Amino acid sequence: MAEPTDRYLVRVKKRRAKLKTAFDPAGLAILAYFLLFCLAYILSPTITGALTLGWYLSLIIEVPARILYKIKIFPYRLAITLSSLIIFSILIFGISGIIPIILDEGRKLFPVLRDSFSSFSVPDFFRQNPFGQELMDGIRQAVSSLMQKTAELGVSIVNGIFQRLPGISTSLIIFVITAAYFTSLLPVFKKNLWRFLPASGRERARSFLSEVYGDIRHFIAGQMIVALFVGIAVWLGMLFVGIPYAMFIGFLSALTNFIPYMGIIVAAVPSLILGLSHGGLIGLLKVTLVLVAVNQFEGWVLSPKIQGSRMKLNWFAIILAILLSGTLLGVVGILIAIPLVVFFKRFWVWYVQEALQRM
């Protein structure tokens, strides 16, 4: 007959064995790789961020490449090359026109603000009332202070860009190389994925990664379609209301549309500056109406129809993920917030949830 202490030791051993089998070794390996990525970003944010952005762009390149490949006229590598040329040409053409437009319109903005304020008619009641005169003097001082601070901010931004130019150049080179090679090396990586996973749970891990990759690719493809519609709609809308550089605003709206919910804010700032510098308050109102109309159409019609129900992500979870990821990882975190949410959602279902049930 076994002693009580022996029975206790047997139960402890069984409990430890059950605990070990509850967590899949391959799942732990995947989580360890993610933690290594976070550590690499902390130690070298410039290089790791450029690699991550390059990977994200490679997913964008893959979308038209798969379309070209499915036509069965182009082999895979040729389709990747053509798609890369198309995407890089669009980016170079669009981004190369952004800086001259911003600099040129920035110089026009201050005279427009000054003229708009000086031509603003004040009722006689305010002119004759001491309180009204004090109020107008306060507004003049506030506008003057705002213009001065804006000019100082512009100078500091330009100086910061020149100071960080070597790091930006390095990141840009890594970004281009990564984007060009990640997509072409994807079949090789798929064949050798088993080398990075433990034997126990390897096939399950490959299925998990395949599902996560499929969801992320679905999201990227949907965002590309939505961005194309948004860019065209903003371009035509700005042409209709008579705002110059309509193609630039449309391109910027399409580019920032890859940041859900918050991309419209990034695109709105230069768009509103263009509307104000060329049309005053009326131009500002026209730009606002176009952006709001397109944003509402995208949020209520385009995204639900194109993205469908496959993603099944709550809007609050998306915004929270963007804020947290952006705080931790900067611009890179904002861009990859949705892929991170997809990864952790699938990881919980595939590994954590089942591990909790087995414990």
Side-chain angles (χ1 to χ4, degrees), residues 234-346:
V234 171
W235 174 36
L236 295 178
M238 295 301 171
L239 284 177
F240 179 75
V241 298
I243 301 298
Y245 303 113
M247 182 178 292
F248 157 72
I249 300 176
F251 172 79
L252 189 62
S253 301
L255 187 64
T256 57
N257 192 259
F258 283 92
I259 307 174
Y261 297 102
M262 295 187 176
I264 185 66
I265 300 175
V266 179
V269 174
S271 304
L272 293 173
I273 291 176
L274 282 171
L276 185 62
S277 62
H278 285 272
L281 296 178
I282 300 299
L284 189 69
L285 179 62
K286 290 179 180 179
V287 171
T288 303
L289 290 176
V290 172
L291 292 179
V292 170
V294 174
N295 179 255
Q296 292 300 308
F297 181 73
E298 179 225 338
W300 292 99
V301 180
L302 283 181
S303 292
K305 290 290 183 182
I306 294 176
Q307 293 289 17
S309 59
R310 179 175 177 179
M311 303 303 294
K312 296 180 181 179
L313 298 177
N314 184 271
W315 66 271
F316 180 75
I318 293 176
I319 294 178
L320 185 61
I322 292 174
L323 293 175
L324 291 176
S325 183
T327 302
L328 296 174
L329 304 176
V331 178
V332 175
I334 294 175
L335 195 61
I336 66 172
I338 303 301
L340 287 178
V341 172
V342 171
F343 170 79
F344 282 112
K345 178 184 177 182
R346 294 297 182 187

Side-chain angles (χ1 to χ4, degrees), residues 126-244:
F126 281 97
R127 292 178 181 175
Q128 299 172 1
N129 193 307
F131 174 76
Q133 292 180 358
E134 292 180 2
L135 179 62
M136 295 305 299
D137 291 338
I139 294 176
R140 289 191 184 93
Q141 293 177 1
V143 171
S144 177
S145 176
L146 177 62
M147 294 175 64
Q148 181 180 357
K149 290 181 179 179
T150 305
E152 293 174 355
L153 178 62
V155 173
S156 64
I157 291 175
V158 173
N159 292 334
I161 291 175
F162 279 107
Q163 291 176 0
R164 298 180 181 179
L165 195 58
I168 294 174
S169 302
T170 304
S171 301
L172 186 61
I173 294 172
I174 297 174
F175 168 69
V176 172
I177 294 175
T178 304
Y181 280 95
F182 265 26
T183 311
S184 61
L185 295 177
L186 182 62
V188 179
F189 178 75
K190 286 183 178 180
K191 289 180 181 179
N192 294 275
L193 182 61
W194 62 274
R195 301 178 185 273
F196 301 91
L197 299 169
S200 178
R202 179 178 293 163
E203 292 303 319
R204 177 181 174 81
R206 292 178 66 177
S207 300
F208 161 74
L209 292 173
S210 177
E211 184 171 319
V212 170
Y213 179 75
D215 285 345
I216 294 175
R217 189 171 61 189
H218 172 82
F219 166 73
I220 296 294
Q223 284 300 106
M224 287 189 67
I225 298 173
V226 173
L228 180 63
F229 274 98
V230 167
I232 294 175
V234 171
W235 174 36
L236 295 178
M238 295 301 171
L239 284 177
F240 179 75
V241 298
I243 301 298

Side-chain angles (χ1 to χ4, degrees), residues 40-109:
Y41 191 88
I42 294 173
L43 296 177
S44 181
T46 301
I47 296 177
T48 307
L51 288 172
T52 306
L53 290 177
W55 164 77
Y56 194 93
L57 183 59
S58 70
L59 293 177
I60 297 176
I61 293 174
E62 188 183 359
V63 174
R66 288 175 63 86
I67 296 175
L68 294 173
Y69 178 68
K70 287 181 178 180
I71 298 177
K72 297 182 178 179
I73 298 177
F74 303 99
Y76 183 75
R77 290 191 177 275
L78 180 57
I80 290 295
T81 303
L82 292 176
S83 178
S84 300
L85 290 175
I86 293 172
I87 297 298
F88 278 116
S89 298
I90 293 174
L91 288 176
I92 292 172
F93 172 77
I95 295 176
S96 63
I98 290 177
I99 297 178
I101 292 175
I102 291 177
L103 293 177
D104 185 44
E105 296 303 317
R107 288 194 296 266
K108 296 179 182 178
L109 180 61

